[in-house]
Amino acid sequence: MNYVNMNLSEENTLTKLSRMAEESGFIKPELYRKYEVKRGLRDLDGKGVLVGLTEIGEVHSYIMDEGEKVSVPGRLIYRGIDIRDIVKGFIEDNRYGFEETAYLLLFGNLPDLNAQKEFEQLLSLYQRLPEDFTRDVILKAPSKDIMNTLARSVLALYSFDENPDDTSMQNVLKQCLRLVACFPSLAVYGYHALSHYHGSQSLYIHSPRADLSIAENILAMLRPDSSYTQLEATLLDLALVLHAEHGGGNNSSFVTHVVTSTGTDTYSAMAAAIGALKGPRHGGANIKVVQMFEDMKEKLKNWEDDEEIEQYLTRILSKDAFDRTGLIYGIGHAVYSISDPRTVILKGYVSQLAQEKGLEDEFNLYAKVETLAPQVIAKFNTMYKTVSANVDFYSGFVYKMLNIPMEMFTPIFAISRIVGWSAHRIEEIANSGKIIRPAYKSVAPRRSYLRMNER
């Protein structure tokens, strides 16, 4: 067979083909309006398109008053219970709350003391990885991205399951609980493999302990000496609780519903959800917040000067500062406008940890930007909706103060959200829904096939 342009380099060929692919893939924006396609499954006013029903989580940000949408302070509700009440309950009892929250999301009710102990014992039983899994799967092919390691490890666990394709409720629940229990080990060991093989750091592997909470185990397995303070564990536990669920409409939970609806196995569904969360528009935003503040601290002469901070933020919006995307990371949310309840809850405890770590000045800078950024955005774009800090604004700062490496930020999100994904997978199976297949309208003009010698 004769090939044309065999002398072209790979790069030149790919450049030409990628340009062709981009041109053929572009759809004129006016066609979306013509056919009333709601891009991103969002209405023009930002309201999500209703595609399903759920009892797991609710995100509330507005009320309808005489047919008009009125923004209100955000609320996050797990199984009908306000997240503020959940947090207040376990904090006042001086308990860790993630395991209790997981039970609530998975089974619909709060556990009593006996049910809580039974559930925690089951998670402890499931937290050990299969024999030689760490060596043969995680350490032998370390990835430079922990989310990639996590997805690959989840898919590899399929091979260690005697009934991987059994989608009966009991088997799916068992698979989900095993994943909830072992996600911390998969993520932390993936990080240690990365830091050792790609960063020339010492390799140490601490086994999870049955007597520790999931938050405590993450810190104990991450750190060489396994030490942590109660405030550190409390903050990480709180972050896990706040990230565990966010309604069925968030991208990765919706992916879980879509993939589950095909009848596929649990490992494939969860790997798909991990792939969705890995995207910087979903799970990686807190990394960008930390990087933005590092740049800000370097550029600002006076961290207490509101005018200088406003000028820097305006330069970001003008695409003249930081990464030149025009985005102030951590400010604004697809649903919340006046406030993100997770941010409100987290902020008070962030202040305590900042004092313990001697980082009050940096916390004060975060607080100033939280106040000033919405004002700067309103001046820059008068048509823009009300915005506020989202949970990513402070969560990255929390992880930084906990000496959690940046490579672990999104995996920690996954360690938490695997609970929500599991609940949504179970809900999809329990309702025996149809395969999820929305419609796409073709707008390509009809053409005739041309023989090779006619092209």
Side-chain angles (χ1 to χ4, degrees), residues 14 22 84 162 172 196 206 251 283 319 327 341:
L14 287 174
E22 183 175 4
R84 294 172 296 185
E162 294 181 356
V172 168
H196 177 66
H206 299 312
N251 190 281
K319 299 183 179 182
L327 300 175

Side-chain angles (χ1 to χ4, degrees), residues 94-155:
N94 196 29
R95 296 182 290 107
Y96 296 114
F98 183 58
E99 287 78 3
E100 175 187 65
T101 301
Y103 187 101
L104 171 65
L105 290 172
L106 288 168
F107 309 118
N109 292 297
L110 291 167
D112 59 23
L113 186 59
N114 289 333
Q116 176 84 0
K117 287 182 178 179
E118 184 180 58
F119 181 60
E120 291 177 356
Q121 288 173 357
L122 193 58
L123 291 180
S124 296
L125 178 67
Y126 289 159
Q127 65 186 355
R128 289 280 183 159
L129 296 174
E131 187 175 356
D132 299 329
F133 187 92
T134 302
R135 181 194 66 195
D136 294 341
V137 176
I138 299 177
L139 297 182
K140 280 194 174 179
S143 171
K144 293 183 180 180
D145 191 292
I146 312 305
M147 292 297 282
N148 173 271
T149 298
L150 198 54
R152 193 181 65 225
S153 296
V154 168
L155 290 173

Side-chain angles (χ1 to χ4, degrees), residues 8 23 56 79-80 122 125 174 189 195 218 322 325 419 421 445:
L8 283 178
E23 290 173 356
I56 300 167
R79 294 287 188 177
L122 193 58
L125 178 67
K174 180 180 180 181
Y189 295 168
S195 63
I218 293 171
F322 186 43
T325 61
V419 171
W421 295 338

Side-chain angles (χ1 to χ4, degrees), residues 18 43 52 56 107 117 185 222 275 296-297 330 364:
S18 63
D43 287 323
I56 300 167
F107 309 118
K117 287 182 178 179
S185 297
L222 261 177
M296 191 184 311
K297 289 187 298 180
N364 290 335

Side-chain angles (χ1 to χ4, degrees), residues 300 302-314 364-365 367-369 371-373 375-376 379:
L300 295 178
N302 183 357
W303 293 7
E304 298 181 356
D305 187 335
D306 288 6
E307 184 176 348
E308 188 181 3
I309 295 172
E310 287 184 6
Q311 290 174 352
Y312 176 86
L313 295 175
T314 300
N364 290 335
L365 177 60
K368 276 185 174 292
V369 172
T371 299
L372 294 173
Q375 299 173 14
V376 172
K379 292 178 183 177

Side-chain angles (χ1 to χ4, degrees), residues 364-414:
N364 290 335
L365 177 60
Y366 269 79
K368 276 185 174 292
V369 172
E370 180 188 3
T371 299
L372 294 173
Q375 299 173 14
V376 172
I377 291 172
K379 292 178 183 177
F380 191 85
N381 188 347
T382 56
M383 297 296 292
Y384 211 86
K385 68 175 184 178
T386 303
V387 293
S388 59
N390 60 52
V391 69
D392 294 315
F393 187 80
Y394 282 110
S395 64
F397 184 42
V398 169
Y399 300 152
K400 179 186 171 188
M401 288 192 290
L402 293 174
N403 294 318
I404 292 173
M406 200 173 296
E407 296 90 341
M408 280 290 294
F409 284 13
T410 310
I412 286 177
F413 194 161

